[in-house]
Amino acid sequence: NMTSLRAVCPVMCGCDDLFAAQKGFFGTTYYGCPQPCLDSMSANMEYQGALGDYVDCVDLNASKLINSTAFKTYMTGAFESLRGRQFEEATWVKLLNSGEAIFRVNSTEAPMTLRYLLDNITSGEMLNTIFSGSWELMTGFPHPRSDENYTGCDWLMTWEVTWLLGIDFCQTGTFRSLKFLCPQACKCTDGGEECPVSC
């Protein structure tokens, strides 16, 4: 169990390391990282900022994002958290109730299409689609507002993706946010927890 391992081996697991902790979706107290380690990481961020050595307050562009090891590790963790009967059952109910309207699915094809969409999430195929840089919900199934050409951080922060996955990638608390890669999309302009010190 990685949560227990983080609790007893926090340094090895990167809980106190600015870059290692940023890479992990699970780098929080909820998933085993001791609070003093996270406090140390925050202090290191502030110290680096005081030295002028900090991450700029701009989103990583879409092509750099999908090639970022930090992003790949983070998203792999996020999708691991979505596997399980509880997520699958709750999401299936959501999709049956609202999915047809939200994702503009033809009513006669809705049950099959929405089931395929859910299977793409739980199997990890949606993750592969994201890593391919196509920015579709699944192959051949675009974002419902594809005319707005969302990609990268902006695509991940749309309310439709947040609703579908049940994860707000800008939220802090249970899991780490994506603010360190997507500070603009996460509205870090006034600073905030987990935002780069440059914001």
Side-chain angles (χ1 to χ4, degrees), residues 127-140:
L127 184 61
N128 293 332
T129 303
I130 291 171
F131 289 162
S132 76
S134 68
W135 304 108
E136 296 179 301
L137 296 172
M138 59 183 176
T139 302

Side-chain angles (χ1 to χ4, degrees), residues 2-23 27-28 31-38 40-41 44:
M2 285 301 296
T3 298
S4 299
L5 184 61
R6 289 186 196 96
V8 297
C9 302
V11 175
M12 184 188 77
C13 293
C15 289
D16 69 338
D17 183 279
L18 177 61
F19 299 101
Q22 281 183 331
K23 288 198 245 182
T28 62
Y31 288 109
C33 282
Q35 186 60 50
C37 290
L38 303 180
S40 174
M41 186 184 66
N44 285 338

Side-chain angles (χ1 to χ4, degrees), residues 92 95-115 141:
W92 183 233
L95 285 169
L96 285 177
N97 289 337
S98 308
E100 182 181 328
I102 290 173
F103 298 109
R104 303 176 186 177
V105 181
N106 182 298
S107 58
T108 58
E109 300 172 357
M112 182 175 67
T113 302
L114 294 173
R115 184 72 230 184
F141 192 81

Side-chain angles (χ1 to χ4, degrees), residues 135-155:
W135 304 108
E136 296 179 301
L137 296 172
M138 59 183 176
T139 302
F141 192 81
H143 189 286
R145 289 184 285 144
S146 57
D147 56 319
E148 298 191 37
N149 297 313
Y150 288 117
T151 61
C153 293
D154 291 331
W155 187 91

